[in-house]
Amino acid sequence: QVQLVESGGGLVQAGGSLRLSCAASGVTTSMYNMGWFRQAPGKEREFVASFSCTGNTYYSDSVMGRFTVSRDSAKNTMYLQMNRLKPDGTPMYYCGIGESLIAIRSDAEVDYWGKGIRVTVSA
């Protein structure tokens, strides 16, 4: 059974940094595409970044240059280093795994989801 558990969220001031982790079990992450999404209250979930099984990375325009996605295969964990955070409310961040060969850049490519973790960026 595939399980994804996000951690590292919390409260941070605008301009600060946080690192999110997504620990996976029941799957060997190096064989799959993994991605990060976020959802603000009342809004649709949106793609943030992803790490493909071939080692390629993808970012949304809104986080390009500020966020870095990485993976530690030995720990079966994906990370999202978020720098220069902007005060955008209290979105939930979700990690996901996709079983297809298509790199994750939307919900459609995700087969398993974590429960999410909240990040609050204060002005």
Side-chain angles (χ1 to χ4, degrees), residues 21 31 34 39 72 74 76 78 81 83-84 87 98 117 119:
S21 300
M31 299 176 62
M34 299 183 72
Q39 185 172 22
D72 185 332
N76 234 21
M78 177 179 63
Q81 177 66 43
N83 298 327
R84 291 184 282 138
I117 193 162
V119 172

Side-chain angles (χ1 to χ4, degrees), residues 12-99:
V12 64
Q13 286 189 328
S17 299
L18 276 178
R19 189 176 80 153
L20 302 183
S21 300
C22 172
S25 59
V27 65
T28 301
T29 56
S30 60
M31 299 176 62
Y32 298 93
N33 299 316
M34 299 183 72
W36 288 99
F37 291 75
R38 65 186 175 193
Q39 185 172 22
K43 295 187 177 180
E44 293 186 355
R45 186 159 48 192
E46 63 175 357
F47 169 74
V48 174
S50 66
F51 196 102
S52 77
C53 57
T54 57
N56 294 318
T57 57
Y58 303 88
Y59 298 93
S60 67
D61 290 344
S62 62
V63 307
M64 182 77 72
R66 299 187 298 118
F67 290 12
T68 303
V69 62
S70 61
R71 184 177 64 199
D72 185 332
S73 297
K75 295 182 178 180
N76 234 21
T77 299
M78 177 179 63
Y79 303 97
L80 184 68
Q81 177 66 43
M82 305 186 294
N83 298 327
R84 291 184 282 138
L85 283 161
K86 298 180 179 180
D88 57 356
T90 58
M92 290 287 289
Y93 279 76
Y94 299 89
C95 71
I97 279 184
E99 295 182 312

